[in-house]
Structure formats: structure tokens, C-alpha cells
Amino acid sequence: MGAIIRCRGVEKIYRQGAVDVPALRGIDLDIESGDFATLAGPSGSGKTTLLSLIGGLDRPTAGEISVDGEPIVKMEKNRLADLRLHKIGFVFQAYSLIPVLSAAENVEFILRLLDLPMHEREARCKEVLREVGLEGLEKRRPSRLSGGQQQRVAVARALGPKPAIVLADEPTANLDSKNAEELIALMAHLNATSGITFLIATHDSRVMAHSRRRIEMMDGKITADERQDATVAA
Amino acid sequence: MLVALAWRNLWRTPRRTLLSLLSIALVVAVLVFMLSFQLSVYAAMKQNTLKIFDGYAQFQPKGYISDPALDRTIAHAETLARDAVAINGVTEAAPRVDAFAILANGQRSYGAAVIGVDPERESKISSIAAMIHMGRYLGPADTDAAILGDVLARNLALSVGQKVTLLGAARDGSVAADVLRVVGLYHSGIPDLDRSILEMPLSRAQGTFAMTGRANTIALGGPSLGAVNDALPALEALGLQHGVSIVDWSTMEPAMRDAIALDISIGALLYLTLVVVVAFIILNTLLMSVLERTREFGTLLAVGMRPSLIGQMVWIELLGLALVGCAIGFVVGAGITLKLEHYGIVFSGVSEIFARFGLPPRIYPALTPASALIGPGAILLSIALGGIVPYVRVVRLTAASAMRAT
């Protein structure tokens, strides 16, 4: 399978007052299509920064990133938004749902941005909500859903447009262990059945246990990149 | 989609939204009512002042307005008057001789304007006939009759039934002299008018002042001032054919025109302040709401919504708030105006002051397209334009920085 994400010499330096703080120092990384990979490492190691750069939420100070073969570093703002809409699904630690929309509307909202006809939207919306186990809760607003249910809505929203990759930033951090395990199982199941690529930044050992590839980060560098069958020193 | 989302966003904080709606509605209601009232006052001022004597417009010889000399005349006055009433919006045309003479009664003498009028047509244009408080107005059969203001009559020690002598210069330079019998005295409440005008039959005045077939002015009347104003282009064309000018109300009454213009300027400044204040309040509220939702906007950017689309959503929220507020304010303001349009507003104790400005003691505010739309339009426009600020703020957001916002 080809690389869906390709990072070459990616650096990110944040300026805090007069001080330059390097967050990423020369990252080279390929994520293959169908991967279920985790980015692990302590706080401040650069996991979230790398995820932001791969998702086009921020721009690197140096280096090249391409998503599904498209270089994104110098991509114009609107094209970048379109690329995220079509190819990248996001799942955040804090669920980040739109509070005034119901579970179904949160999913359908993204599908509307894709200009899908109504019948397709409705069908896709039902399908992904069923996949994440939220049948019967479609009309509930986020405030009337548990944390685990909200995170499932976030996963459904990410899956709605059939993205090439889902980027998840600490998706289990706000969940109790039962909900966390259910969510991990759900993502692993989706990866196994639908072949959706997942790249998950996490501290959670349970998530790492499910992943087929574990990328360790420390001080803005990749220190290890382990697969089920092999360990590659970075 | 954006409209529905924007509408729901507005009701996230119902108290804040209700307060914003209330501010907009209050200002719009005040603007609709005040503008209706103000425009009605102007209309009443113009209507009442012009109805006393001027008429809604006049045909005059060219240059007469700046130099009203007796020898500036309209040659075929009756023909012009007949053609004028054929124009849509003009129902009356009354030729006048506007002369000046010394009026004498015994040892007393005063200078006054001597106006030759056709009683029947004149009474439909000028309200002097209705102001007679002693005696009667001129009639079609009168030949040597005259009516004059009560102040002038008092100055001349004249009363109804007595004779008044007039002595002046005729159009051809000869002496114009006549003796008329006073048949009535009028009281307009306007001192200048009550002490300076004598009216006599038109044909007699034409004879006395060597003006046979001629007139100095032709006063025009119609169903309303607006109707005559609308007919001005046609009247101007007709005037050109006869070599005369058409003079509208603002030229005949420059003092009233300037007073109204000044009042409009002061009012506009006040209304503008109100509009700007309310626009700032609403914008400030929306900017707060934008700041509070920065993280959420970051999420929307992250999931692929274009920045301009998020900006549009915020702008629609603002416009929605303004539209609903304006609608409520309009209903309230128009409702109050329509109610008072029926009953009027009485300003007790100031009727004399009002009379000086040609105003009746009871004012009836009238809802017009202008008074109904200017206020809400100004609020909508200012809020819509002000909405550029939150729009730009949102469009400039980057997903990463927005999601880091606290």
C-alpha cells in the first residue's frame, strides 16, 4: 500500500516572546494507507503539533508534508479546508461537537459542506451513526449525550465524508475506562473492516495495545517506530 | 444550513439575544414613530401655511419672485388658468392681481397689499374666506366690496359696512384710485397677514390697476401639496409655453423651507446617534459571542469548513438579530403611529405657538413609506456594515490558533 501521509524534514518552531521553542525537529514519517498507528510520547514531545501539521491546521517552519500525494505546506487556505473536508477526519480530546446541533445534524453538517444530495446525506448519516452504535440517539444534542456517546458522534462525523485518514488527538483522554475501551475497539473495528487509516496521538496504553504501529516521540523527534512484526529505529 | 445554524446559535444565550432584540426594537420603534410625527408636522406646516394664502404653487412672470412689480404680468391669465386645471393633480387655478396701495379712512392711512381675487376660485385655494370673523367673504356678485385683516381694519378704524379709499400706481403708471366697501374682516392669527392685506374682486382690481385680462400671479390648488408637486414638471412645461415660471412651495416660503431643513438636520443627528449607539451595542455583543466561540470555530475549520463560510454564518447571525429586532420595533412603532394617526396628539397650552408656525393644535402623525422604512433601514444597514468587523475577525482565524484559544 502507498503512503497516505508523507513528512520530510518537518520542523516547527514556536516563538514565545523573544524565545524560539522548537516543537518538531526534522520529522520524517510515512503513514501507509490502512495503518492503525499511534503517536506516543510524553507531554510536549510534539505529538499534537505533528498531528496539526499533518491535518493542515498549522504550517511547519520547514519541511514538506503531503496528504494523499498532495503537498499541503504552501496550499492556499480554502484549498486546505477542502482537502480536510474530503480527505481528513478529525477526532479531538474534547469531542468538539456543535452544541446547537443534534448527533445526526453534527454528522450531516459536514456532509452538507460536501454538497451531497439530501437522500445521500441521510443515508450516509444513518450508516455512520449505526456503525458507531448510536442508533436511536440521532436526535439528541451533545448536552444530552454521555462523554463516550459524544466521542462516538465525533468519530461518526469524522467518518461521514469517507476520509482517507482519521487523525485523533487523545480521543480517550476524557473518557472513563469502559467508554475508552469501547471507543478503541470501535476504531480498531472500523480500521479492520473499512480499511480506514487511523493516526492517533495518545498516552493511553490501551490504544497503543490495539495499534499495529507505534511511533514514539520525544523532544520533537521520532525515537522509535515499531510495527507488530518489526521495530524500526528512528 | 447556515441560516438554521446561525438562528440556533443566537438562542444559545437567550437572555443576551432578547436584550439585543429589545435594544434594536426600542430604537426602531422610536425612529418609526418620531419620523412619522416629524414628517407629519412638516406636512401640516406646509399644508396649513400654503393654504392660508400662497396656494400649493403659483404661476408668476419671470423674475417676479425677486422683483414683484405690478407691471410684471401674465398676459392671458384666464387661458393659462384654464390650461392649468386640465393637468392631473391641479384642481384650482386662481388668477390674482397683486398691487400695493395706500388705504385711507378719514385721517388714517396705511400701506397694504391689495389683492384682486376671483372669490369663488380663491376660496378653494386660500383659507382667508374661512377666517372671516366679522361680516362675510367676497361674493361673485360683488363689485366694490373688500375684505381686510382685522389688525389693518383696527389701524384704519374701519368696520364692516364702512368705505375704504385706496390710492396707488396702476400698471401703466397712471394713478389707481378706488373706493371700496368693507364687507368682512378676517383673522388669521398671523400678525403680518392680518395687518397687510386687502382683497377685492379681481375684475374691479384689473380695472383699477390697468390690468384688464392680466394677472400678476395664478395660485394653484389641488387635492394635496404632493399632488401639485407631482404635477410640477407638466406645469413647468405649460408655463414655458406662456412665458411664465412655475414657483413651488419652497421658493414661495423660503423661511419655512430653511426651518424644516434645519430641523431635519438636527433630527438626523439625533437619530444617527441612536443608530450608531445601538449598532455598537449589537456589534459588541456579537464580538463577545465570537470570542467565546473561537475554539468552536477552530473545530469547524479543522473539519473542513471554509473560513469565509464561518464568517458568513456570523454575519447571518448579526443580520438575523437585526431583522427580527427591526420587525418587532417596526410593528410597535407603526402600531403606535397608526393608533395616533386616528386620534392625533394634542399639545395643550401651546396652540398659539403652533399657530405661528402654521400648525393645528392637534397633530396627526402619519405612517408613510419614508417614516416606516428610514429607521429600520438605517439600523439594518449600519449593523450589516458593522458586521464586517466580526466577519474579518473570523475569516482571519487559523484552525490551530483558534483551537488553542481558551
Side-chain angles (χ1 to χ4, degrees), chain B residues 133-211:
Chain B
H133 75 114
M134 197 177 285
R136 62 170 176 82
Y137 189 60
L138 302 173
D142 285 331
T143 51
D144 63 346
I147 60 122
L148 61 160
D150 58 354
V151 178
L152 182 59
R154 193 168 60 240
N155 289 343
L156 288 165
L158 276 170
S159 61
V160 173
Q162 288 187 297
K163 286 185 175 172
V164 59
T165 305
L166 69 85
L167 187 64
R171 183 178 71 93
D172 57 4
S174 62
V175 174
D178 207 344
V179 178
L180 304 167
R181 184 174 302 277
V182 177
V183 296
L185 303 180
Y186 68 84
H187 175 77
S188 68
I190 304 167
D192 279 353
L193 198 68
D194 292 342
R195 66 166 163 253
S196 63
I197 289 181
L198 175 144
E199 284 190 3
M200 62 187 288
L202 178 64
S203 55
R204 177 88 171 206
Q206 285 170 325
T208 305
F209 292 96
M211 297 270 292

Side-chain angles (χ1 to χ4, degrees), chain A residues 14 52 57-58 77-79 81-82 84-85 88 90 92 94 96-102 105 109-110 112-113 141 157, chain B residues 1-2 5 8-9 12 295-296 298-309 395-401 403-404:
Chain A
Y14 289 111
S52 294
L57 304 182
D58 207 351
K77 228 178 171 181
N78 284 332
R79 270 198 66 205
D82 291 345
R84 284 197 295 265
L85 178 64
I88 304 172
F90 278 97
F92 302 102
S96 302
L97 300 174
I98 302 171
V100 293
L101 299 182
S102 68
E105 287 169 336
F109 177 73
I110 305 300
R112 278 189 185 229
L113 294 177
R141 287 199 179 180
R157 180 179 66 183
Chain B
M1 175 185 69
L2 283 185
L5 188 56
R8 289 193 198 176
N9 281 336
R12 282 184 188 197
R295 268 183 80 90
E296 191 177 311
T299 306
L300 292 174
L301 288 169
V303 298
M305 198 167 173
R306 286 185 171 199
S308 57
L309 213 54
V395 165
R396 282 184 179 168
L397 281 176
T398 61
S401 64
M403 294 187 77
R404 279 196 294 269

Side-chain angles (χ1 to χ4, degrees), chain B residues 115-388:
Chain B
I115 315 294
V117 297
D118 174 77
E120 204 168 340
R121 284 181 282 179
E122 187 70 19
S123 62
K124 290 175 185 162
I125 287 177
S126 159
S127 56
I128 285 182
M131 294 173 184
I132 297 290
H133 75 114
M134 197 177 285
R136 62 170 176 82
Y137 189 60
L138 302 173
D142 285 331
T143 51
D144 63 346
I147 60 122
L148 61 160
D150 58 354
V151 178
L152 182 59
R154 193 168 60 240
N155 289 343
L156 288 165
L158 276 170
S159 61
V160 173
Q162 288 187 297
K163 286 185 175 172
V164 59
T165 305
L166 69 85
L167 187 64
R171 183 178 71 93
D172 57 4
S174 62
V175 174
D178 207 344
V179 178
L180 304 167
R181 184 174 302 277
V182 177
V183 296
L185 303 180
Y186 68 84
H187 175 77
S188 68
I190 304 167
D192 279 353
L193 198 68
D194 292 342
R195 66 166 163 253
S196 63
I197 289 181
L198 175 144
E199 284 190 3
M200 62 187 288
L202 178 64
S203 55
R204 177 88 171 206
Q206 285 170 325
T208 305
F209 292 96
M211 297 270 292
T212 306
R214 293 170 182 270
N216 294 109
T217 60
I218 298 175
L220 303 172
S224 66
L225 175 60
V228 174
N229 279 342
D230 290 344
L232 284 174
L235 290 167
E236 189 171 10
L238 177 64
L240 277 175
Q241 290 171 25
H242 288 259
V244 298
S245 307
I246 183 76
V247 179
D248 69 356
W249 75 269
S250 65
T251 311
M252 288 189 291
E253 295 289 347
M256 184 166 67
R257 177 198 62 206
D258 294 346
I260 288 174
L262 180 67
D263 200 57
I264 286 175
S265 308
I266 294 168
L269 204 64
L270 183 73
Y271 300 148
L272 192 71
T273 310
L274 269 177
V275 168
V276 168
V277 167
V278 80
F280 271 115
I281 290 171
I282 302 305
L283 280 178
N284 185 43
T285 306
L286 195 85
L287 272 173
M288 271 173 61
S289 154
V290 164
L291 280 174
E292 286 166 5
R293 290 186 286 157
T294 303
R295 268 183 80 90
E296 191 177 311
F297 294 152
T299 306
L300 292 174
L301 288 169
V303 298
M305 198 167 173
R306 286 185 171 199
S308 57
L309 213 54
I310 303 174
Q312 282 173 39
M313 181 182 74
V314 170
W315 195 72
I316 291 170
E317 284 175 27
L318 193 62
L319 214 60
L321 195 67
L323 272 170
V324 175
C326 283
I328 296 170
F330 175 78
V331 168
V332 174
I336 293 170
T337 307
L338 287 172
K339 191 88 178 163
L340 292 170
E341 194 172 316
H342 186 66
Y343 295 108
I345 308 169
V346 181
F347 293 87
S348 50
V350 291
S351 55
E352 277 187 30
I353 298 168
F354 271 33
R356 271 186 224 163
F357 292 97
L359 286 171
R362 189 182 286 265
I363 305 277
Y364 294 88
L367 195 66
T368 62
S371 67
L373 297 177
I374 288 175
I379 294 276
L380 270 178
L381 186 71
S382 58
I383 290 179
L385 288 177
I388 292 169

Side-chain angles (χ1 to χ4, degrees), chain A residues 12-168:
Chain A
K12 180 68 183 176
I13 298 169
Y14 289 111
R15 179 165 278 268
Q16 289 181 343
V19 182
D20 286 345
V21 180
L24 294 177
R25 305 164 192 250
I27 299 286
D28 293 323
L29 177 68
D30 285 354
I31 302 291
E32 307 297 329
S33 182
D35 255 354
F36 191 83
T38 52
L39 281 172
S43 294
S45 59
K47 305 186 298 291
T48 298
T49 302
L50 181 58
L51 224 51
S52 294
L53 297 183
I54 290 172
L57 304 182
D58 207 351
R59 296 189 194 266
T61 311
E64 287 298 328
I65 300 170
S66 62
V67 175
D68 207 12
E70 288 193 69
I72 64 166
V73 171
K74 289 178 181 165
M75 197 176 266
E76 186 264 332
K77 228 178 171 181
N78 284 332
R79 270 198 66 205
L80 207 49
D82 291 345
L83 178 106
R84 284 197 295 265
L85 178 64
H86 288 89
K87 295 192 173 171
I88 304 172
F90 278 97
V91 178
F92 302 102
Q93 178 180 340
Y95 324 136
S96 302
L97 300 174
I98 302 171
V100 293
L101 299 182
S102 68
E105 287 169 336
N106 261 285
V107 178
E108 202 200 345
F109 177 73
I110 305 300
L111 301 177
R112 278 189 185 229
L113 294 177
L114 289 167
D115 280 337
L116 292 181
M118 194 168 74
H119 66 277
E120 273 186 47
R121 287 201 311 264
E122 283 175 357
R124 180 69 187 145
C125 193
K126 265 188 182 172
E127 186 187 339
V128 289
L129 283 170
R130 192 179 56 242
E131 273 184 316
V132 300
L134 284 176
E135 266 179 315
L137 300 175
E138 295 92 342
K139 290 186 177 170
R140 287 204 189 170
R141 287 199 179 180
S143 58
R144 294 185 57 227
L145 293 170
S146 70
Q149 288 167 335
Q150 287 188 54
Q151 198 59 300
R152 282 164 183 265
V153 176
V155 172
R157 180 179 66 183
L159 296 178
K162 298 182 180 169
I165 184 168
V166 173
L167 304 176

